[in-house]
């Protein structure tokens, strides 16, 4: 199944989603509990804006391996995409319980806090994410947005300057 899975991943990386699905279906016909394939199927379904079906894939992967962080992160992103921010936050928190330095979960949680207008909490998450990857432009930019929302204009300018240095 590994060869089929990785061949599907190559098609997925090339944006050839229909071919990727074909290989992922072959993997699942042999091993219906292949969490990587379930996760990647969810990712492809998101590209087709089939968000609820994607969530089902992530949930199946998480039933098999509740600590599969990629599925938690992807489920959180998908839930946020459809406006289910509180549910997304639960996934971010679960991922951070497993790995407190999970960059994706910290960044996603910051973004979700921002959407919920919890700007201080968002900045805390971005700061933690930037401790892990200080060159991630989007984190500096988003931290600037949240600082602006709090009317901390000097901090916002500093964040935007950092983002511009990275560009």
């Amino acid at each position: 199944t590994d060869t089929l899975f990785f061949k599907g991943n190559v098609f997925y990386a090339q944006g050839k989603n229909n071919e990727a699905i074909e290989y992922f279906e072959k993997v699942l016909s042999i091993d219906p509990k292949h969490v990587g394939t379930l996760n990647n199927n969810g990712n492809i379904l998101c590209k087709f804006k089939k968000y609820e079906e994607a969530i089902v894939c992530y949930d199946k992967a998480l039933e098999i391996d509740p600590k599969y962080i990629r599925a938690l992160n992807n489920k959180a992103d998908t839930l946020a995409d459809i406006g289910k921010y509180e549910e997304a936050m639960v996934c971010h928190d679960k991922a951070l319980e497993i790995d407190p330095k999970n960059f994706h979960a910290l960044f996603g949680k910051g973004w979700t806090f921002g959407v919920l207008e919890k700007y201080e909490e968002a900045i805390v998450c971005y700061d933690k994410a930037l401790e892990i990857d200080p060159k991630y432009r989007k984190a500096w930019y988003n931290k600037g947005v949240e600082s602006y929302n709090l009317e901390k204009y000097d901090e916002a300018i500093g964040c935007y300057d950092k983002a511009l240095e990275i560009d």
Side-chain angles (χ1 to χ4, degrees):
T1 58
D2 285 346
T3 304
L4 293 170
F5 175 67
F6 287 114
K7 189 168 182 181
N9 280 342
V10 170
F11 284 124
Y12 175 65
Q14 294 175 319
K16 296 178 179 177
N17 295 318
N18 290 325
E19 290 91 337
I21 288 171
E22 182 181 322
Y23 279 88
F24 293 153
E25 286 176 355
K26 288 178 184 179
V27 172
L28 292 173
S29 71
I30 298 165
D31 180 4
K33 294 185 176 191
H34 194 281
V35 292
T37 301
L38 290 165
N39 179 67
N40 288 0
N41 268 350
N43 293 344
I44 291 171
L45 288 164
C46 283
K47 289 185 182 274
F48 292 124
K49 300 197 183 314
K50 296 180 177 182
Y51 300 115
E52 296 297 336
E53 290 176 51
I55 291 168
V56 170
C57 288
Y58 301 135
D59 283 340
K60 284 181 184 176
L62 291 166
E63 283 174 25
I64 297 161
D65 182 357
K67 294 185 177 189
Y68 189 55
I69 288 183
R70 287 184 181 180
L72 281 168
N73 287 335
N74 292 330
K75 181 179 177 183
D77 292 345
T78 304
L79 288 165
D81 286 345
I82 60 175
K84 296 183 176 183
Y85 303 115
E86 298 298 334
E87 290 178 53
M89 197 66 78
V90 170
C91 291
H92 291 310
D93 287 338
K94 285 181 183 176
L96 290 168
E97 284 174 22
I98 297 164
D99 178 7
K101 294 189 180 228
N102 182 282
F103 179 85
H104 188 112
L106 288 165
F107 182 82
K109 188 173 180 176
W111 184 86
T112 304
F113 272 134
V115 171
L116 295 172
E117 299 180 1
K118 296 180 179 182
Y119 307 125
E120 293 282 356
E121 292 94 331
I123 289 171
V124 169
C125 290
Y126 292 133
D127 283 340
K128 289 178 181 176
L130 287 164
E131 287 175 17
I132 298 164
D133 185 357
K135 295 192 183 283
Y136 192 64
R137 185 190 59 76
K138 283 184 177 182
W140 283 111
Y141 171 81
N142 287 7
K143 183 180 174 184
V145 169
E146 307 314 350
S147 297
Y148 172 85
N149 288 333
L150 291 169
E151 298 181 6
K152 296 180 178 181
Y153 302 120
D154 289 339
E155 287 180 34
I157 289 170
C159 291
Y160 295 142
D161 286 343
K162 287 275 194 184
L164 289 168
E165 286 173 20
I166 296 166
D167 277 344

